[in-house]
Amino acid sequence: MVRQAGGKAVSAFAAEQDVDTQAITSMTFELEWPPRSGRRRAFPEVDAARWMPVAEARTMMLKSQLPLLDRIEPLLG
């Protein structure tokens, strides 16, 4: 687990297996949208799932999340 600059705790997991990223579905969360409208909408927690090299992942993650990659990278073959 890491904590982002805004205080949000982010947990991650790793699994050594072949996963079809197209089969991954997301949970949703509710948010008042538009703000102060009194209306609530559901949004997916995960935008997309895909495989990529670690170097590319580093360019897409928040700086505060990079320790997650630092921990898993030595275990990758």
Side-chain angles (χ1 to χ4, degrees), residues 6 17-18 22 25 28 33 36 45-46 53 57 61 63 68 74 77:
Q17 67 183 65
D18 189 18
Q22 298 298 315
T25 59
T28 59
W33 194 258
R36 294 181 288 285
E45 182 72 28
V46 175
M61 295 175 72
K63 184 177 179 180
L68 296 170

Side-chain angles (χ1 to χ4, degrees), residues 10-28:
V10 176
S11 296
F13 69 92
E16 188 175 356
Q17 67 183 65
D18 189 18
V19 176
D20 177 8
T21 58
Q22 298 298 315
I24 294 175
T25 59
S26 178
M27 298 176 4
T28 59

Side-chain angles (χ1 to χ4, degrees), residues 59-71:
T59 69
M60 300 185 76
M61 295 175 72
L62 297 174
K63 184 177 179 180
S64 59
Q65 295 172 347
L66 294 178
L68 296 170
L69 289 179
D70 295 339
R71 293 176 197 154

